[in-house]
Amino acid sequence: MSPVRIGALVVSAVVVLALAVALLPARPEEPDEPDAIDSWAYQLQNYPDGRLDELAAGPYQLVVIDLARDAYESWFSAAEIARVKATGKRVLAYFEIGSIEDFRPEYPMLRRDATELIANRWPEWPEEHFVRYWDPRWWDLVVRPRLDQALRAGFDGVYLDTPLAYEQLDLSAAQGRDRDGLARAMTDLIVRISGYAKDRRPGFLIVPQNSPELRHQRGYTAAVDGIGMEELFFEATDERCTADYCAENLAETRALRDAGKFVLAVDYATRPAPVRAACARYRAERFTGTVTVVDLDRTAPPCA
């Protein structure tokens, strides 16, 4: 074969290879490390058309969503979570570990087969009851299945609400435990969640919401990667947080930040001045913050 013919074949092969590479799907963006995240979105309901397109397209580095689009059994699929992650975002699955709402899929089963798990109603949220979260059946029937669902769907981690059950559960329902004993039991549950998930997927993020004082319990700080904190600066809605517990929460949150844990702060405000003030505090405190509405039914723009 002549040199000219060989050269033509080589050029043709290079062109074909270049075209093939050009037609390959775009490589997913790599997510930022958790401690480098500076914007997040928190939405638990009212996903437009039941889809995550708006969150995927949004200017956020991390999003927290419910396990299910309907807060029941219409679980977000692995394909849906993968499409959000392909934009470079981390995605955390929200669920509660110290209480249960009466619209969750496990609630009828608990009422039927394990009613002893259900404790006092939460006065601020009449559809919700605290639970005896130390009971092994709570792990077997609710917490572990929810973790398994989050792992199957490809979430990057879990966002665990209602650790504050240890403070809110009626002591008459605590089976002899005092508040210290309830705090220990909640920490044990968080440690168990962390160990179970990280054994199955190293790097899986464990992010409890509120109750930063649990850091004083043995094993808590090592088990968590970050913490979500509500109403550090503004309570629902547009009311500056000035109670003693606000300062206490801030001090405990700073301690977790200084221990290397990332902070996802959320304040509830709609007026421009409180929104600006909260965003300024996030920058000063080195927290990742979002200012949104208490119903968590829409996204909010990142802090400017």
Side-chain angles (χ1 to χ4, degrees), residues 62-293:
L62 180 147
V63 297
V64 173
I65 60 173
D66 200 282
L67 272 172
R69 78 193 77 249
D70 60 353
Y72 192 66
E73 285 186 325
S74 182
W75 311 114
F76 286 115
S77 69
E80 289 175 296
I81 300 306
R83 283 195 289 272
V84 181
K85 292 171 63 173
T87 67
K89 296 175 177 63
R90 293 180 184 267
V91 189
L92 305 186
Y94 170 98
F95 61 86
E96 300 192 337
I97 60 172
S99 61
I100 190 164
E101 307 106 317
D102 60 16
F103 51 81
R104 293 294 181 177
E106 305 94 345
Y107 184 80
M109 175 267 296
L110 294 184
R111 274 298 184 200
R112 184 184 66 244
D113 301 330
T115 189
E116 304 89 354
L117 289 178
I118 299 175
N120 56 289
R121 188 180 296 275
W122 193 353
E124 296 176 33
W125 302 96
E127 296 177 316
E128 192 160 351
H129 285 80
F130 294 108
V131 297
R132 295 182 174 92
Y133 51 83
W134 56 88
D135 190 306
R137 292 173 296 173
W138 178 245
W139 171 262
D140 292 334
L141 297 174
V142 179
V143 175
R144 181 171 51 78
R146 291 179 176 183
L147 271 175
D148 288 340
Q149 177 61 35
L151 288 161
R152 277 194 303 272
F155 283 91
D156 294 295
V158 285
Y159 189 88
L160 306 171
D161 200 5
T162 58
L164 58 72
Y166 90 89
E167 295 181 283
Q168 299 287 333
L169 188 91
D170 280 351
L171 287 178
S172 62
Q175 298 176 322
R177 290 168 176 78
D178 59 13
R179 292 295 173 202
D180 287 340
L182 290 170
R184 180 68 250 162
M186 179 55 73
T187 301
D188 290 344
L189 178 58
I190 292 169
V191 169
R192 186 176 189 181
I193 289 168
S194 181
Y196 181 88
K198 289 177 183 291
D199 281 349
R200 284 152 182 79
R201 188 179 302 160
F204 195 77
L205 299 175
I206 306 299
V207 185
Q209 177 168 271
N210 300 325
S211 304
E213 69 280 357
L214 288 176
R215 74 181 184 86
H216 297 288
Q217 296 288 328
R218 184 181 65 257
Y220 174 88
T221 302
V224 307
D225 299 284
I227 188 166
M229 286 300 304
E230 292 181 294
E231 301 179 313
L232 282 172
F233 308 115
F234 288 90
E235 299 178 283
T237 297
D238 291 307
E239 298 295 326
R240 192 173 289 276
C241 195
T242 58
D244 290 345
Y245 72 81
C246 304
E248 293 165 5
N249 280 343
L250 181 56
E252 299 288 6
T253 302
R254 285 168 171 162
L256 284 168
R257 176 204 62 199
D258 292 346
K261 310 303 174 181
F262 63 89
V263 177
L264 301 177
V266 54
D267 287 273
Y268 301 114
T270 57
R271 291 189 287 110
V275 171
R276 287 194 300 269
C279 289
R281 292 301 302 271
Y282 303 149
R283 289 190 291 272
E285 298 287 350
R286 305 195 313 278
F287 298 161
T288 302
T290 185
V291 188
T292 187
V293 294

